[in-house]
Amino acid sequence: MNKKSNVLAIGIMFFLFAMISFVTGLQNPMGVIAKAQFGATNLMSQLGNAANFIAYAFMGLPAGFLLKGKGYKFTALTAVAIGFIGVGISYLSGVLESFPVYLLGAFVSGFSMCMLNTVVNPMLNTLGGGGNKGNQLVQIGGTFNSLMGTLTPMLVGALIGSVTKDTMITDVNLVLFIAMGVFAATFAILTFIPFVEPEQEKNDISVKSLFEYRHLVFGVIAIFLYVGVEVGIPGTMNFFLTDTLGTANAATTAGFVAGTYWFLMLIGRFVSSVISGKVSSRTQLAVTSATAIVLVVVAMF
């Protein structure tokens, strides 16, 4: 790639990174609404969030094969189109007042988020030249992801205000319309702008052979546990605060507290983006994991 197309491609990946967080971040406050509208338990109201991530298990390999066969641009366009459909189904769940349709919307949206992750992460790593520099670019993209994660629960919480038996998904139609509009605009932009594909390695590695790499197996387990912690904390916090604050604007306050969590993650990613060019991923993982263990133990006591 030449320098101009490189900058354009990086900008697009940063924007897609933000979109991933926008749609994923909708699931927690939407769960609070689903609990009120459909009389769901805390467990059932978390099913939308679960459906969004369960979709990754179904779409992960197909997305990888699609990327290899059709390239980054085609995969990104397909993901954006599916994202538009997923959010559209979420909107219909409010119109139809249907909990199963709400879960379907979250599940389809998860397909889109998985595909976008398949495009964004390797693309930024490649554009950064791999290694520490590639990781540095991924972390910079992650700050945009966290920025949108900060704003989304705040926006939805402000629209909900107080949660009552009359709270409905249609109360946040504005957010859903914004999401669909962003997806439509992104599809148009991706269709017409020049997009130079990075070269992909020519190999015929089978899925079975991939799991012969020990670091991949451990990586899958680590990401599984990490995502559960990352998403579970603000999700549970949102429900807890909405139920226990007892104020007129409990959902708004809960949304801003959840947004603060993502803002602190933004700070962490920004710091990592500054030092990743010089400090290895291994060292960063070791230090931050040890620190996290200490902080969790302190919080428990």
Side-chain angles (χ1 to χ4, degrees):
M1 289 187 182
N2 59 49
K3 188 173 182 180
K4 184 177 180 180
S5 61
N6 231 6
V7 172
L8 181 61
I10 290 172
I12 293 170
M13 292 305 109
F14 285 170
F15 182 73
L16 292 179
F17 228 144
M19 286 181 64
I20 292 170
S21 184
F22 181 43
V23 177
T24 303
L26 283 175
Q27 304 311 319
N28 283 324
M30 289 285 283
V32 173
I33 299 173
K35 180 181 177 181
Q37 182 173 356
F38 303 115
T41 63
N42 281 334
L43 176 62
M44 290 180 64
S45 56
Q46 283 280 24
L47 290 178
N49 208 4
N52 189 264
F53 284 98
I54 290 171
Y56 281 63
F58 291 89
M59 183 52 69
L61 287 175
F65 291 135
L66 185 65
L67 178 66
K68 184 177 179 182
K70 295 292 187 177
Y72 285 84
K73 183 173 182 176
F74 182 88
T75 305
L77 283 170
T78 305
V80 170
I82 293 174
F84 180 90
I85 295 170
V87 176
I89 294 173
S90 296
Y91 163 73
L92 286 177
S93 73
V95 175
L96 301 174
E97 298 186 16
S98 171
F99 187 67
V101 175
Y102 158 70
L103 294 181
L104 177 63
F107 190 63
V108 175
S109 295
F111 281 164
S112 173
M113 300 308 99
C114 176
M115 296 173 71
L116 287 176
N117 269 301
T118 304
V119 171
V120 169
N121 286 283
M123 182 74 163
L124 284 176
N125 186 57
T126 300
L127 292 169
N132 288 352
K133 292 293 185 182
N135 180 51
Q136 184 175 36
L137 202 56
V138 172
Q139 295 305 320
I140 295 172
T143 61
F144 287 90
N145 182 276
S146 295
L147 175 62
M148 193 56 67
T150 301
L151 298 176
T152 301
M154 291 180 176
L155 175 60
V156 178
L159 288 173
I160 298 173
S162 59
V163 178
T164 68
K165 59 182 179 62
D166 297 319
T167 301
M168 302 177 70
I169 291 175
T170 51
D171 293 340
V172 292
N173 275 350
L174 174 62
V175 179
L176 299 178
F177 289 151
I178 290 173
M180 287 189 285
V182 170
F183 273 123
T186 303
F187 188 91
I189 292 169
L190 279 174
T191 300
F192 294 108
I193 64 170
F195 190 94
V196 181
E197 298 269 345
E199 291 186 12
Q200 298 189 52
E201 293 183 13
K202 303 296 183 182
N203 55 58
D204 296 310
I205 299 176
S206 66
V207 174
K208 183 179 179 181
S209 66
L210 285 174
F211 285 93
E212 295 175 0
Y213 294 92
R214 187 175 62 174
H215 61 277
L216 175 64
V217 176
F218 286 139
V220 169
I221 297 171
I223 290 174
F224 173 80
L225 295 173
Y226 164 75
V227 172
V229 173
E230 177 193 291
V231 179
I233 290 174
T236 305
M237 182 165 52
N238 215 327
F239 279 95
F240 175 76
L241 292 176
T242 302
D243 287 343
T244 59
L245 283 175
T247 61
N249 294 307
T252 303
T253 303
F256 273 77
V257 174
T260 302
Y261 167 89
W262 291 106
F263 177 72
L264 294 172
M265 184 173 287
L266 182 155
I267 294 174
R269 280 173 158 165
F270 178 76
V271 171
S272 179
S273 71
V274 173
I275 67 174
S276 286
K278 299 177 181 178
V279 181
S280 71
S281 300
R282 181 189 183 95
T283 301
Q284 289 186 62
L285 280 171
V287 172
T288 53
S289 297
T291 304
I293 291 171
V294 172
L295 292 174
V296 170
V297 172
V298 170
M300 290 170 66
F301 285 98

